[in-house]
Amino acid sequence: RKEHDKIIEYQKDAKKFGINILPVDLNKSDIKYRIIRKKDDGNGKTEILPSLMVKGIGPEPAKNLIAHRPYKDLREISQKTDTKLVDLDVIGCLCEAGVFNKAFNSFKRQNMKGKARLTRDQEDRLLEDFKAFWQKKFRSLRLDMKAAAKRGVESGDIFGD
């Protein structure tokens, strides 16, 4: 916990020096932070892609997520990753780290109930609701896969994309 608090402070300091820390990206982030653009390349700010080892996710789950990418949705995460390493807690940590922000923003719009803005407490509560919803969905996908495997069929999306 203390290590992740230090990382947050380092990220704040980096911004002061014109270094842009990008959002965690499930399909691009690695175990270690990675410089993807240097200021001296004439591209403006230095950009760093953060580690997938966000608060609550250790090296083994992160390695498992990295080894099985790319992912286009939660179903693929549930199908491709090791059930012992990537569990509900990992999904919750990814939610809190903003990995699923596109889905969260959609969830937020659906749940704002006509409000133009949310207070910080309302936003935090909505994130907790989203996290619980996403974990429930992930659990359901994993249970469906397990039931399909018992029947000897492959689980999949019958509607496709």
Side-chain angles (χ1 to χ4, degrees):
R1 194 185 269 319
K2 288 180 183 179
E3 293 300 315
H4 286 283
D5 292 340
K6 285 182 188 176
I7 289 170
I8 290 169
E9 289 302 314
Y10 295 150
Q11 288 176 340
K12 288 178 185 175
D13 287 344
K15 285 182 183 180
K16 291 177 189 174
F17 290 100
I19 298 171
N20 187 22
I21 308 293
L22 300 172
V24 177
D25 186 318
L26 190 59
N27 288 315
K28 295 178 184 172
S29 293
D30 291 318
I31 294 293
K32 295 183 178 184
Y33 281 68
R34 183 167 35 106
I35 297 172
I36 59 169
R37 180 181 293 156
K38 291 185 179 181
K39 182 178 181 180
D40 57 342
D41 290 345
N43 295 320
K45 286 187 170 187
T46 296
E47 291 184 343
I48 297 178
L49 193 61
S51 170
L52 195 55
M53 290 190 342
V54 297
K55 190 172 187 175
I57 298 180
E60 294 310 312
K63 287 177 188 175
N64 191 259
L65 285 161
I66 291 166
H68 296 95
R69 61 186 176 195
Y71 307 102
K72 64 180 179 185
D73 55 27
L74 192 61
R75 175 179 295 282
E76 283 196 357
I77 298 168
S78 72
Q79 291 173 333
K80 292 179 174 182
T81 57
D82 185 326
T83 58
K84 293 178 184 143
L85 295 173
V86 180
D87 56 14
L88 296 178
D89 291 334
V90 168
I91 297 301
C93 292
L94 291 172
C95 287
E96 290 175 358
V99 171
F100 305 116
N101 267 355
K102 187 176 179 182
F104 174 62
N105 289 334
S106 176
F107 182 85
K108 185 165 62 172
R109 280 190 301 277
Q110 293 171 6
N111 290 280
M112 285 186 66
K113 300 175 180 141
K115 296 179 184 172
R117 294 184 54 98
L118 296 175
T119 66
R120 185 71 188 146
D121 287 343
Q122 290 170 325
E123 182 99 12
D124 289 345
R125 181 66 201 143
L126 204 54
L127 178 58
E128 285 301 312
D129 291 347
F130 172 74
K131 186 172 105 175
F133 170 75
W134 217 236
Q135 287 173 314
K136 184 177 178 180
K137 186 174 179 178
F138 184 78
R139 183 173 188 272
S140 176
L141 289 166
R142 283 274 168 96
L143 290 173
D144 288 349
M145 280 179 19
K146 190 175 181 179
K150 280 185 181 179
R151 292 190 312 270
V153 295
E154 191 173 317
S155 175
D157 183 359
I158 62 171
F159 300 106
D161 285 88

